[in-house]
């Protein structure tokens, strides 16, 4: 299950065209297909986190997408930037989805 349950907390910034200032060059688009294509196996294109991979299938702790949701990410700010942190249930859902191979389902 692709974790778009968090979409409402991210898309305000991450559905805009890629731009360093508004979204760290990460545009996830408006729907599941574009978000999946932007994330799984894709390298970071931001200044703060370049070198990382957004979603490493099977490895949540190596996935920048997951790290950025923790209280103190290794680079840049905690997402959602300026908003309330995701709930433990939402984090579990994302971790499980990545652990299970980040399938497009
Ligand atoms: C208010 C705007 C805003 C919101 C809301 C927001 N982000 Fe971000 N995001 C940014 C900016 C700006 C950056 C680049 C700076 C940084 O990394 O701190 C970024 C960077 C990222 C990156 C790293 C991108 C890269 O290639 O290095 C990820 C992953 C990310 N955000 C995920 C999310 C997720 C998931 C949510 C929702 C839970 C979210 N963001 C909500 C503005 C936002």
């Amino acid at each position: 299950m692709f974790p778009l349950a968090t979409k409402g907390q991210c898309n305000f910034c991450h559905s805009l065209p890629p731009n360093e200032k508004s979204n760290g060059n990460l545009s996830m688009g408006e729907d599941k297909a574009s978000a999946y294509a932007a994330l799984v196996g894709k390298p970071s294109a931001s200044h703060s986190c370049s070198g990382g991979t957004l979603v490493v299938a099977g490895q949540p702790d190596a996935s920048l997408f997951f790290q950025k949701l923790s209280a103190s990410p290794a680079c840049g700010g905690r997402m959602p930037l300026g908003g309330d942190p995701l709930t433990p249930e939402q984090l579990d859902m994302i971790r499980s989805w990545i652990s299970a191979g980040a399938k497009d389902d």
Side-chain angles (χ1 to χ4, degrees), residues 6 9-10 12-14 20-24 26 28 43-46 48-49 54 64-65 68-69 75-77 79-81 86:
T6 66
Q9 287 162 273
C10 316
F12 173 72
C13 302
H14 288 283
E20 180 64 31
K21 219 174 158 187
S22 5
N23 51 32
L26 174 61
M28 301 192 239
S44 158
S46 71
S48 39
C49 296
L54 291 163
L64 190 57
F65 182 80
K68 291 287 279 176
L69 300 167
C75 54
M79 297 296 140
L81 204 63
L86 297 191

Side-chain angles (χ1 to χ4, degrees), residues 1 5-6 9 12 17 25 27 31 41 43 45 52 56-57 66 80 83-84 88 92-93 99 104:
M1 181 200 46
T6 66
Q9 287 162 273
F12 173 72
N25 289 315
S27 175
D31 58 20
V56 183
F66 188 71
D84 292 333
D92 276 356
M93 186 182 71
S99 295
D104 188 7

Side-chain angles (χ1 to χ4, degrees), residues 37-80:
L39 291 173
V40 180
K42 294 292 156 49
S44 158
S46 71
H47 292 183
S48 39
C49 296
S50 67
T53 301
L54 291 163
V55 171
V56 183
Q59 298 179 48
D61 295 320
S63 300
L64 190 57
F65 182 80
F66 188 71
Q67 292 168 9
K68 291 287 279 176
L69 300 167
S70 70
S72 44
C75 54
R78 193 209 66 214
M79 297 296 140

